[in-house]
Amino acid sequence: MTARSFVVTERDAGARLDRFLHEQRPDLSRSLLQRLIERGGVTIDGRPGRSAEKIRAGQTVQVEMPAPEPVGLVPAKIPLE
């Protein structure tokens, strides 16, 4: 599991938590971020956050990214000539 922290600036104050996180991590979809929030993987100053919650300047938002699940792919034996 990987943890990442972000401090809310004056510019970001008043934004929804899910939108703020998407701006910080544009490589992650908002739906994925919302699922992380719902599962308790996102905290604001140490307490669980809510997707629609408005954030305030100076707050620390921490995101716990779960380790990727193995896909379980098995190579097929293919005769090569």
Side-chain angles (χ1 to χ4, degrees):
M1 196 170 330
T2 307
R4 183 107 190 257
S5 295
F6 304 96
V7 176
V8 180
T9 64
E10 287 289 333
R11 182 182 72 86
D12 296 316
R16 286 173 50 116
L17 177 60
D18 56 352
R19 287 188 181 169
F20 168 75
L21 289 175
H22 185 62
E23 285 183 19
Q24 304 305 310
R25 294 290 311 266
D27 57 315
L28 303 176
S29 69
R30 275 187 59 200
S31 60
L32 171 63
L33 291 167
Q34 289 170 343
R35 282 194 305 272
L36 285 172
I37 293 167
E38 289 171 8
R39 294 178 182 157
V42 177
T43 59
I44 301 173
D45 292 336
R47 63 169 179 72
R50 295 180 330 274
S51 291
E53 182 173 349
K54 304 288 184 179
I55 54 174
R56 297 186 312 270
Q59 289 181 314
T60 300
V61 178
Q62 184 165 347
V63 181
E64 295 279 337
M65 293 296 298
E69 296 181 16
V71 261
L73 297 177
V74 179
K77 288 191 175 195
I78 301 173
L80 299 176
E81 295 181 24

